[in-house]
Amino acid sequence: MPEAAVGLGRMGTRAKQRSRTPRRWQVLFLFLLPLFCGALSEQIRYSIPEEMARGSVVGNLAKDLGLRVRDLLTRNLRVSAEKQYFAINTENGNLLASDRIDRESLCAQNPVCVVPLEIVAENPLNVFHVNVMIEDINDNPPHFPQNSTVLQINEFATPRARFELESAIDADVGPHSLQSYQLSYNEHFSLMVKDKAEGKNAPELVLERPLDREQQSSHLLVLTAVDGGDPVRTGTTQIRIEVTDANDNAPVFSQDVYRVSLPENLPPGTSVLKVTATDQDEGINAEIRYSFKTPGDVGSMFTLDHQSGEIKSKNPIDFEISSSYTIIMEAKDGGGMATKCKIILEILDENDNAPEVVFTSVSSSITEDAEPGTVIALFKTHDKDSGENGEIICLIKEDVPFRIQSSANNYYKLVTDGALDRELTPEYNVTITAIDRGKPPLSSSRSVTLYIRDVNDNAPVFQQSAYLVHVPENNPPGASIAQVSASDPDLGPNGQVSYSIVASDLEPRALSSYVSVSAHSGVVFAQRAFDHEQLRAFELTLQPGYLVTKVVAVDADSGHNAWLSYHVLQASEPGLFSLGLRTGEVRTARALGDRDSARQRLLVAVRDGGQPPLSATATLHLIFADSVQEVLPDLNDHHTPSDPQAELQFYLVVALALISVLFLLAPGYLALLSA
């Protein structure tokens, strides 16, 4: 799915470019059109042969997912898998084979071999599911469990008697698997192949002519297994026929197929099954010896009493390793005649594996004004058990403003579920607990620490709304006569308080000759000696911080999509101004000093609350002066704009900046009495 550009809400009106002159200022509004990636709904599938060279290209994943190559690094596109058979080339978006891929190791004899991949992208968080089908190649020849076999046949064996041989094994599947057998020529024997219940071809040696031990006591045959590859691959075994004296009864098992159900985690040495075979012959021809005839790891898991036929567990049995075992048991009498039976052991799952919680992406911090539903972390769960033992429930036990939101394929999101207030709780330690449905249930927990970042959501508050100060006349100039104090629970610049005198019942020009206030400490100083006969009392209004102007943006959307937030991107004098996150109010963060320029520039951005968010920017040019008359030349010396709406916007910003110097908010009152 290709990425799409999304339109932005308007912020103000368009500004026309004007020629630059030394005495003219302008307001420039810039509009940004960010691009956001759409969600990919369908699955991607690739098909590759096994044993591909490392670095081979599987497919162009970025193109198939609709992602731009230049965004791959910033979105941290990666493969999330327990074993990294594949990797992503972030320079071109190709999915590459990064390790040896052996279909037989991955899928054994399954006809369809699929490797599922989870592709994780960030900014925004997303998970894509990709299936890579591994096609079989003819890289395994058929082979027999043994290079040679000794088969004892009594000389009284009748023609058309059949003797079962060991089947060949081919790890490949489909047309590349074992297809047929060939037997070297011998006038006494021929070959027949029958289908076993488990679906494998079982070769049988057929006696065509009677044997005579006195004429020939042994025969040597070569059995060849052939697969269906091109070219074909083969495997051989030698069959040595030893002709024995008459033993006309083969052992017979009590059952052709034995089925047993076993719980996993059986202690070693536990009896699993005891098979029984009988032989109607007498003496040595009736003595039976039992043995395993199943290739593989059966001998490492189970032991066999060759005399009694009892099978016991040898090592711990784990359902997660194998859910069943098929054993071929042979009973052979002393005369060399043998028969076989099948034993099917079904392993029952026990709840012996606790579920796991794996975080794939975690945010370490979030602003306290984050909207409900904001994604904090992405995690997945896994339980090696099956059935109810592998069904998982995720929950948060603490009383925190977060919740777990279920996604697909055992993926979950940790999202906000209420208002955050850094001043009340500056950080959260959220513990996610995964519990399975086993009896008794097993669980595991993972914790994530989330720090709440401060926003300027608290106005400074004076300790007193009014102060009454008595000052003796003839006081020394420069003396401290009072101190006001205000506090702000926000952090850093958001909590720094500065003081200023914003109003008085004295004439503005006379005020500065009477008192001043320290912007940092709130100490009020007398600038001159007071004369009780000339001035008995006057009032001052003080505030922390000037309201310089207010940025206003509109969004045609509604709800969360129209929830706007304001941010300072650039400032000609960093730290001089603060911007209200929700109000758009531009205030002085400290007193304007002699070294500060009277002309300041702010680049302001506004973002909405949509997913993904849209934004726009505006540039503010601010002029500070003692009176409006000082900046009138800057306002009058301009060409008539072709766009009246742009001219109105220019005047509004400058006028607001000037008028706001005179009208300030949240004041504290100080009354001075001259005694």
Side-chain angles (χ1 to χ4, degrees):
M1 182 182 294
E3 297 187 356
V6 184
L8 300 173
R10 294 186 305 164
M11 179 179 179
T13 57
R14 296 175 299 168
K16 295 295 184 177
Q17 182 179 6
R18 303 181 180 89
S19 61
R20 299 181 177 177
T21 61
R23 296 182 59 82
R24 188 188 67 241
W25 298 88
Q26 64 181 10
V27 176
L28 177 61
F29 296 91
L30 302 178
F31 299 90
L32 298 178
L33 294 175
L35 297 176
F36 297 90
C37 180
L40 188 66
S41 60
E42 62 272 19
Q43 261 191 355
I44 303 299
R45 291 180 173 86
Y46 298 107
S47 180
I48 63 171
E50 63 173 325
E51 304 293 349
M52 283 184 68
R54 290 179 174 87
S56 299
V57 176
V58 176
N60 192 308
L61 184 61
K63 179 181 178 182
D64 295 336
L65 293 178
L67 302 177
R68 296 176 299 192
V69 174
R70 64 174 181 266
D71 295 337
L72 298 185
L73 285 176
T74 58
R75 297 200 65 181
N76 193 18
L77 190 69
R78 63 191 184 275
V79 178
S80 175
E82 293 183 3
K83 181 169 177 59
Q84 296 294 330
Y85 289 106
F86 302 94
I88 299 175
N89 187 332
T90 55
E91 295 181 358
N92 53 29
N94 285 336
L95 181 65
L96 308 178
S98 61
D99 201 352
R100 177 175 178 259
I101 302 175
D102 183 13
R103 192 204 66 81
E104 289 73 35
S105 298
L106 289 173
C107 301
Q109 291 292 316
N110 289 336
V112 178
C113 184
V114 177
V115 177
L117 302 180
E118 297 169 344
I119 309 300
V120 179
E122 300 179 356
N123 302 320
L125 292 174
N126 210 338
V127 175
F128 306 94
H129 298 280
V130 176
N131 285 339
V132 180
M133 178 174 291
I134 310 302
E135 298 176 351
D136 182 59
I137 64 174
N138 194 22
D139 58 339
N140 294 281
H143 69 279
F144 291 89
Q146 299 179 8
N147 293 328
S148 62
T149 302
V150 177
L151 186 62
Q152 295 179 336
I153 301 178
N154 190 269
E155 61 180 333
F156 285 171
T158 60
R160 305 309 301 169
R162 296 187 297 182
F163 305 91
E164 187 170 307
L165 304 175
E166 288 187 317
S167 300
I169 302 170
D170 193 335
D172 293 322
V173 297
H176 298 149
S177 64
L178 174 65
Q179 300 295 320
S180 62
Y181 293 93
Q182 299 173 0
L183 183 67
S184 61
Y185 175 75
N186 186 286
E187 63 177 351
H188 291 279
F189 299 97
S190 65
L191 185 67
M192 178 180 289
V193 179
K194 71 173 184 178
D195 291 336
K196 276 197 171 181
E198 61 266 31
K200 297 181 180 178
N201 293 331
E204 290 184 331
L205 196 62
V206 181
L207 181 63
E208 297 290 346
R209 298 180 61 182
L211 299 173
D212 188 343
R213 180 181 175 277
E214 287 69 30
Q215 290 184 3
Q216 187 175 355
S217 63
S218 65
H219 300 266
L220 186 61
L221 306 176
V222 176
L223 180 62
T224 302
V226 182
D227 69 14
D230 186 14
V232 298
R233 307 190 75 166
T234 62
T236 61
T237 184
Q238 288 187 343
I239 303 174
R240 181 178 178 84
I241 307 296
E242 294 181 354
V243 183
T244 65
D245 283 333
N247 177 24
D248 57 351
N249 289 287
V252 177
F253 281 101
S254 60
Q255 296 177 223
D256 291 333
V257 178
Y258 295 85
R259 295 182 181 272
V260 179
S261 296
L262 299 175
E264 65 173 328
N265 302 319
L266 275 179
T270 302
S271 179
V272 174
L273 173 68
K274 185 177 181 178
V275 298
T276 302
T278 58
D279 194 313
Q280 295 182 2
D281 293 323
E282 294 181 351
I284 191 172
N285 292 332
E287 294 179 1
I288 298 175
R289 181 177 175 84
Y290 301 93
S291 61
F292 288 145
K293 290 298 180 180
T294 303
D297 60 350
V298 170
S300 65
M301 299 300 299
F302 304 97
T303 62
L304 172 65
D305 188 321
H306 299 285
Q307 304 301 322
S308 66
E310 184 177 16
I311 302 173
K312 295 182 179 181
S313 60
K314 182 178 181 179
N315 289 317
I317 300 174
D318 192 344
F319 174 87
E320 286 69 41
I321 295 179
S322 180
S323 60
S324 66
Y325 293 91
T326 299
I327 301 175
I328 303 300
M329 176 85 78
E330 181 185 74
K332 181 182 290 188
D333 62 23
M337 296 191 73
T339 188
K340 295 178 181 178
C341 72
K342 183 192 296 184
I343 302 171
I344 300 176
L345 303 179
E346 296 180 353
I347 311 303
L348 305 179
D349 183 44
E350 298 285 332
N351 193 24
D352 58 344
N353 292 279
E356 299 176 358
V357 177
V358 179
F359 284 99
T360 58
S361 184
V362 180
S363 299
S364 61
S365 63
I366 187 175
T367 56
E368 59 180 321
D369 63 336
E371 303 172 21
T374 301
V375 178
I376 304 301
L378 183 67
F379 65 94
K380 63 180 180 179
T381 59
H382 174 67
D383 195 318
K384 294 180 181 179
D385 294 320
S386 62
E388 287 189 351
N389 296 331
E391 295 179 5
I392 301 173
I393 302 173
C394 290
L395 52 88
I396 300 174
K397 294 184 178 179
E398 301 96 345
D399 184 15
V400 292
F402 304 99
R403 62 181 173 87
I404 296 174
Q405 180 177 320
S406 177
S407 184
N409 296 330
N410 292 328
Y411 264 88
Y412 300 87
K413 296 177 182 178
L414 178 62
V415 300
T416 56
D417 192 36
L420 304 176
D421 190 344
R422 188 208 62 81
E423 289 71 35
L424 293 177
T425 309
E427 68 178 72
Y428 291 92
N429 188 32
V430 184
T431 301
I432 296 175
T433 302
I435 306 174
D436 63 27
R437 295 182 180 271
K439 296 179 181 179
L442 299 178
S443 65
S444 66
S445 300
R446 287 287 303 274
S447 297
V448 58
T449 300
L450 182 64
Y451 297 94
I452 310 302
R453 298 197 304 271
D454 184 60
V455 297
N456 193 19
D457 57 346
N458 291 280
V461 177
F462 279 100
Q463 292 182 354
Q464 299 176 224
S465 60
Y467 295 78
L468 180 62
V469 180
H470 295 270
V471 181
E473 65 176 338
N474 300 322
N475 58 290
S480 170
I481 59 176
Q483 183 174 11
V484 296
S485 178
S487 60
D488 192 319
D490 291 321
L491 286 180
N494 296 334
Q496 293 178 356
V497 179
S498 62
Y499 303 88
S500 59
I501 300 174
V502 298
S504 175
D505 54 357
L506 297 176
E507 289 293 332
R509 294 186 178 181
L511 175 63
S512 60
S513 65
Y514 276 92
V515 291
S516 65
V517 64
S518 171
H520 300 289
S521 66
V523 175
V524 180
F525 297 95
Q527 298 296 103
R528 59 188 294 179
F530 295 157
D531 187 344
H532 176 77
E533 286 70 30
Q534 293 184 359
L535 181 64
R536 296 190 176 186
F538 61 93
E539 291 184 354
L540 303 175
T541 303
L542 295 91
Q543 175 177 306
Y546 286 101
L547 173 62
V548 177
T549 187
K550 184 174 183 178
V551 181
V552 179
V554 293
D555 194 315
D557 294 322
S558 62
H560 285 263
N561 296 331
W563 194 351
L564 304 181
S565 62
Y566 299 86
H567 310 268
V568 176
L569 297 182
Q570 293 179 359
S572 56
E573 190 68 34
L576 181 58
F577 300 100
S578 64
L579 179 63
L581 183 69
R582 297 299 180 191
T583 64
E585 294 179 348
V586 179
R587 294 180 178 273
T588 56
R590 59 175 177 81
L592 189 67
D594 295 335
R595 296 184 179 181
D596 293 319
S597 173
R599 295 174 173 84
Q600 300 288 334
R601 176 182 177 273
L602 288 178
L603 179 60
V604 176
V606 59
R607 300 189 185 99
D608 63 20
Q611 289 295 334
L614 305 180
S615 64
T617 60
T619 302
L620 306 181
H621 293 275
L622 307 175
I623 305 173
F624 290 91
D626 292 333
S627 64
V628 177
Q629 286 73 18
E630 293 185 20
V631 296
L632 285 179
D634 284 326
L635 302 178
N636 294 329
D637 186 15
H638 68 282
H639 299 288
T640 302
S642 58
D643 189 345
Q645 197 171 14
E647 180 183 17
L648 174 61
Q649 182 69 22
F650 177 81
Y651 276 119
L652 281 174
V653 173
V654 176
L656 279 172
L658 293 173
I659 294 172
S660 297
V661 174
L662 303 178
F663 299 99
L664 307 172
L665 301 178
Y669 297 95
L670 178 66
L672 297 178
L673 301 178
S674 177

